[in-house]
Amino acid sequence: MSRADEIPVAESWPMFKWLWASYLNPYKWPVSISFVLMALEGSMMGFLAYVLKPMFDQVFVEGNQETMKWVALSIMGIFIVRGVSGMIQKMIMNWVGQKSSAAIRRDLLEHVMKLDTAFHNNHPPGHLITRVSGDAGSLASVWRGFILGVGRDLVSVISLTAVAISIDWRWTLIALIGAPLLMVPILIVQRFVRTQSRRSRMLASDIVVRMDEIFHGINQIKLNALEDYQHTRFVSLQDESIAISLQSNFSRALIPTLVDVITGVGFVGVLYFAGGEILAGDKTIGEFMSFFTAMLLVFEPLRRLAGLAGSWQDFASGLERVKHLFDLKPSIVSAPGAIRVPPERPEIRLDNVSLAYGELPVLRQTSFVAEAGKTTALVGPSGAGKSTVFNIVTRLVDPDQGQVTIGGRPSKEIELGTLRSMFAVVTQESLLFDETLRENITLGRDNVSDEELQRALEAAHVTDFVDQLLKGLDSDVGARGNLLSGGQRQRVAIARALLRDAPILLLDEATSALDVKSEAVVQKALDRLSAGRTTIVIAHRLSTVRDADKIVVMNQGRVIEEGTHDQLLAKNGAYAELYRTQFRLDETEPA
Ligand code: ADP
């Protein structure tokens, strides 16, 4: 599988700053409030440890009833404040997390749609789906857990340590003396988790790609009995993903375990040291209990903080993937000052246009003119570069050299949206969306009048079959239109193009998909569609080629001949040869 999904390791901190500036800054007030509440929640633990001292010394040892009352009230207050602030703060952070990740997804999708066709050719949909949906979404959950944890736990640790120090700084020192030893394993684990997390995300997107291909190609898989093969490939990806995730979880679990061991040693040290002082009467039981509770309570947040090293890496690897995608810029953009008014007479001119895909030259100094309002047919063997001409005039790709002008304007000087609105494209794989027939024809335009729609349906011969569908125009066409036949799909595409009423028509005649009867119907529909429009047609039909105002013959990316049918036949060159071999059969058939 291609590793187009592989991206360079990025520094975490600048990425986080970008995330903050772009997506979290609007929520700075809710986040600040949340932090205050976290601090409140965390500090309550310190208070709890603190009130244990009077409880033991004044209530249990001295038997002071009055103190017992306020100790009880304080404990109650501590838990109420902790509970309420915890809840509000979680709600706020949840809200911020959802909102910000929805914004990231929205922008990412918009951005990815703008990226060049070349980018999309190299990035299978599965990879992009994982990035937009999975990675952006996981950011929110990691970020929520992360921030929630850091804020509250940090304050807990600080307040509890403060209580411990206030009781005896030497005891605290003994208890925490092993903590610096944790730094080395934390750093090692961080590195490892980052690597694993990156691999795990790449695998996750590979798994989606595999599923996408399986479901897209389900009929091919069944017909070629590829179920086992696909299944095995899927399982092996999944096994690898599980292995990585287990390794990563194991190494993450290691740090809290080390915290346990080191704290255990610290406890024993304190017990030994403090025990002597209490026996000697230098310290009270209350002081010891308070200290001991603080140490017990500091333990849990400390473990969690130590575990955060791993979450941070998870977060960073998700962020890295999202940010990397945002950093890619489309190269096909409107020139500064591009016009937004379509040129009047949409004559299309290719001027020495060359294009190579990698090493492979696809167009070599191709030049021809498609006159406004006329039909120009492109003919030539498969692979000659005919479809590439379509992609170049619509700017799905830009040529390496040469230029395309439309109505005398270089196409780059026409704003991209305006340029594309000038074209209606009907190709062999005209894509239908998984929506109703009506939605597929109107394509989101809600200003289409009933008469307009009706005219288009009739002209495209959609009316011929629409009544046979159970719900008429409101019938679903299925994924990629698979509930319709090839001929029906094409007529839908023609109706769409008629409604679009664009001045330029690009037509890739797909005869192969159609039976003789549908072909005749589609042909009639196409004739109506192309009337009066600048039409470039990749021609397969004899009639189109004959009737075209001009025929451009292409071979290996070059224009080798051009002229009318009669001129080219008289020339007796490549076209005449092509015509004789390719269309001999058709000629013998009655027209
Ligand atoms: P035609 O429409 O005349 O059959 P095309 O324009 O589709 O020819 O393709 C011309 C050549 O360009 C073919 O050799 C094809 O393999 C190559 N080609 C088309 N698109 C791409 C692409 N995105 N990446 C690499 N090669 C491509």
Side-chain angles (χ1 to χ4, degrees), residues 255-267 299:
I255 301 294
T257 311
L258 287 177
V259 174
D260 283 8
V261 174
I262 284 178
T263 326
V265 174
F267 264 133
F299 190 52

Side-chain angles (χ1 to χ4, degrees), residues 367-369 550-553 559-564 567-568:
S367 301
F368 71 85
V369 180
K550 183 199 270 182
I551 299 163
V552 174
V553 187
V559 173
I560 51 172
E561 278 176 9
E562 58 180 299
T564 62
Q567 285 166 347
L568 290 177

